[in-house]
Amino acid sequence: MRLSRYFLPVLKETPADAQIVSHRLMLRAGMIRQQAAGIYSWLPLGYKVLRRIEQIVHEEQQRAGHIPVLMPTLQSADLWRESGRYDGYGEEMLRMQDRHGRDMLFSPTAEEMFTDTFRAYVKSYKDLPLTIYQIQWKFRDEIRPRFGVMRGREFLMKDGYNFDLTKEAALHAYNRHLVSYLRTYERMGLQAIPMRAESGPIGGDDTHEFLVLAETGESGVFYDSEITELRFGERAIDYDSVEQCQAVLEEFTSRYARTDDTHEQSVFEAQVPEARRREARGIEVGQIFYFGTKYSEPLGATVSDGEGNQVPVHMGSHGIGVSRLLGALIEANHDENGIIWPEGVTPFHCGIVNLRQGDAATDAACEDLYKAITAKGLDPLYDDRDERAGAKFATMDLIGLPWRITVGPRGLKSGVVELTSRRSGESEELAPETVVDRLAEIYALG
Ligand code: ATP
Ligand code: MG
């Protein structure tokens, strides 16, 4: 993409009403625009990152054997009356009527609709296990929408639902989600800690939240510093293996504690040596639940068990805050000049800065680089505006592309351009061909 033809409405001023750094940076970098409290338009740069996050979520879900679908955002209240949640859900549910006076709602979550879909088609234990999921907009009329996309009213969520014959099988699905979530966050360059949690309106027996460590997190947590060295992407985990999925869960047990839970703290302190104990704050970027037959019983989602009985299926639901992840990523990856995207989610793979727009040799070198990088299947952002170098650098730093290539007449005379890492600030002078190869190498690994 050539910046002169792109739509990147960066702001010079720091927006006064944005309280946390990710919100400020998303507004300044022209990623989102607020349309109403907790409701945002996704501008090109923000939309690109949102799509990259979605793509990673899809890939990791499908790797775990889960099947994508898409359900409507507007739902009839009848299903929610059947499950008994319509009256109880409270003020967070946005309710409305259609022209015929029928009660409708904007889905805040979708246990009912997935259970209804299941019961319509699946009748036998032979069709289990089954996990279906979607990435779809949700609406929760949060009392205090704040921090930009972190606590919106309309937000994008991945929600998945497993259907199993037995409790054991459903707990395997739970553990499988736990592993796949850890891999998902890791691919985005995030360290997430799964913590046992309270279940809230979804209900159920078992639930874990996934926390990303960042100063502006809403939950306090103690953790074992060695937790941050656990890596899942490199392991060949067999998602069908009950033991392998269970063992992960166990790696985390007793290695963290909520700061407001004294029982958890005493277990944590007994288990983790003092030198490895850390205190931090965490942002909830996902949650998984096992809730047994809570929805399958009232909605009549039963299957034949092969022994002549009709039994309600055991279920769980599993959510990832896709749009909240943008905020969490920025909270965990920024400096005083702007965002620092991890390679896994960056909107463009690199930026090209032309230091002397209009100089024939410099323009030609930039065009060649742009074409060569694109030909490798990468997506560069070429700053071809007629602007001062300082302004171009400031924009690149603000929008946070992990690699910047600086091209100027002086370097070109000795056959080099400069490759700069946004994270370390370190630069290298390299021949243009070498830069192209280096980027191809970085992203093939990343
Ligand atoms: P919270 O405790 O932060 O209100 P929740 O526990 O009610 O969230 P879940 O039902 O577990 O949310 O939803 C799954 C995921 O969706 C959450 O882990 C979070 O990442 C994301 N999410 C929930 N509410 C919002 C919101 N208002 N804005 C953006 N993302 C949200
Ligand atoms: Mg939650």
Side-chain angles (χ1 to χ4, degrees):
M1 178 57 64
R2 288 174 168 78
L3 191 45
S4 63
R5 297 185 202 165
Y6 199 43
F7 177 43
L8 182 72
V10 298
L11 304 181
K12 293 228 164 56
E13 251 77 302
T14 301
D17 53 340
Q19 295 162 31
I20 60 169
V21 67
S22 59
H23 189 194
R24 281 197 291 275
L25 287 174
M26 287 183 80
L27 292 170
R28 282 192 53 212
M31 296 176 69
I32 53 170
R33 174 176 168 75
Q34 184 173 323
Q35 299 294 1
I39 300 178
Y40 292 88
S41 298
W42 294 83
L43 303 177
L45 194 73
Y47 185 56
K48 238 168 172 293
V49 181
L50 191 69
R51 285 283 172 254
R52 296 209 61 179
I53 292 175
E54 266 191 273
Q55 183 60 30
I56 293 176
V57 172
H58 272 305
E59 284 172 18
E60 292 303 323
Q61 284 303 301
Q62 289 168 47
R63 194 199 298 277
H66 307 157
I67 300 164
V69 294
L70 192 61
M71 302 282 173
T73 52
L74 295 187
Q75 303 185 352
S76 154
D78 293 345
L79 261 182
W80 291 70
R81 292 200 173 100
E82 247 186 282
S83 73
R85 274 211 292 187
Y86 186 66
D87 293 326
Y89 207 95
E91 298 285 327
E92 274 192 18
M93 183 187 275
L94 182 65
R95 299 159 204 255
M96 65 202 93
Q97 287 191 336
D98 68 10
R99 66 199 295 165
H100 305 293
R102 281 188 283 254
D103 291 328
M104 309 283 292
L105 56 96
F106 197 119
S107 170
T109 176
E111 280 75 12
E112 283 78 359
M113 190 143 283
F114 276 77
T115 309
D116 174 64
T117 305
F118 177 89
R119 74 179 171 184
Y121 299 107
V122 183
K123 308 290 182 203
S124 161
Y125 73 97
K126 290 181 192 153
D127 297 321
L128 303 183
L130 181 66
T131 296
I132 43 184
Y133 77 93
Q134 66 175 346
I135 298 180
Q136 178 61 296
W137 295 94
K138 302 291 182 297
F139 196 97
R140 294 183 187 174
D141 206 353
E142 299 272 355
I143 186 161
R144 212 170 292 114
R146 58 180 188 159
F147 300 163
V149 300
M150 294 270 240
R151 186 167 296 284
R153 293 197 295 166
E154 188 184 56
F155 60 96
L156 191 59
M157 194 208 282
K158 172 262 162 181
D159 47 325
Y161 305 82
N162 68 283
F163 303 90
D164 288 276
L165 183 61
T166 62
K167 178 172 182 181
E168 292 68 45
L171 288 176
H172 175 224
Y174 182 90
N175 294 338
R176 194 174 65 230
H177 278 87
L178 190 134
V179 180
S180 70
Y181 278 26
L182 290 170
R183 281 188 69 119
T184 303
Y185 300 127
E186 196 177 300
R187 271 187 65 186
M188 296 174 191
L190 285 175
Q191 175 66 50
I193 300 182
M195 296 218 302
R196 197 167 282 286
E198 302 284 326
S199 62
I202 310 264
D205 308 337
D206 275 299
T207 176
H208 274 80
E209 281 173 3
F210 294 77
L211 296 187
V212 164
L213 303 180
E215 278 164 31
T216 44
E218 291 183 336
S219 328
V221 55
F222 294 113
Y223 67 97
D224 178 348
S225 60
E226 287 192 354
I227 270 189
T228 57
E229 281 150 37
L230 299 174
R231 288 277 170 275
F232 296 90
E234 292 144 21
R235 305 185 200 178
I237 289 168
D238 174 4
Y239 279 114
D240 290 333
S241 160
V242 173
E243 295 74 26
Q244 285 188 26
C245 293
Q246 174 70 26
V248 174
L249 185 59
E250 281 161 10
E251 276 181 80
F252 285 93
T253 308
S254 311
R255 296 176 76 177
Y256 61 80
R258 285 168 183 274
T259 50
D260 59 3
D261 185 327
T262 47
H263 171 71
E264 255 181 28
Q265 269 170 56
S266 54
V267 177
F268 171 76
E269 281 167 19
Q271 179 93 7
V272 180
E274 204 169 345
R276 293 203 330 236
R277 292 181 210 153
R278 301 283 182 276
E279 184 174 355
R281 303 201 65 77
I283 300 167
E284 182 193 325
V285 292
Q287 186 161 12
I288 57 176
F289 302 87
Y290 163 72
F291 44 67
T293 58
K294 179 174 179 203
Y295 297 92
S296 56
E297 276 195 63
L299 292 172
T302 61
V303 293
S304 64
D305 68 354
E307 290 164 11
N309 313 306
Q310 282 295 120
V311 294
V313 287
H314 285 258
M315 291 176 58
S317 69
H318 314 277
I320 293 182
V322 173
S323 50
R324 178 180 287 182
L325 270 165
L326 273 96
L329 275 157
I330 297 173
E331 290 296 326
N333 297 282
H334 67 270
D335 64 13
E336 64 282 6
N337 297 323
I339 304 166
I340 308 175
W341 292 115
E343 270 109 2
V345 296
T346 183
F348 293 96
H349 294 104
C350 65
I352 303 171
V353 169
N354 184 333
L355 289 181
R356 185 82 54 85
Q357 203 71 42
D359 172 71
T362 314
D363 290 358
C366 287
E367 286 295 329
D368 287 349
L369 260 172
Y370 182 76
K371 288 193 186 113
I373 292 168
T374 307
K376 291 276 185 194
L378 297 174
D379 191 5
L381 180 67
Y382 170 23
D383 192 344
D384 60 342
R385 296 171 305 164
D386 191 12
E387 280 277 359
R388 287 175 304 107
K392 291 189 176 187
F393 289 149
T395 301
M396 284 294 174
D397 282 353
L398 174 63
I399 68 172
L401 310 183
W403 299 95
R404 187 186 78 208
I405 307 167
T406 312
V407 184
R410 199 159 356 118
L412 287 176
K413 271 202 190 108
S414 32
V416 295
V417 298
E418 197 179 60
L419 180 66
T420 307
S421 156
R422 174 70 181 86
R423 193 171 290 276
S424 71
E426 281 163 23
S427 294
E428 273 182 276
E429 294 203 322
L430 299 166
E433 313 80 71
T434 314
V435 169
V436 176
D437 291 342
R438 181 73 64 84
L439 287 172
E441 203 177 284
I442 289 167
Y443 284 102
L445 293 174

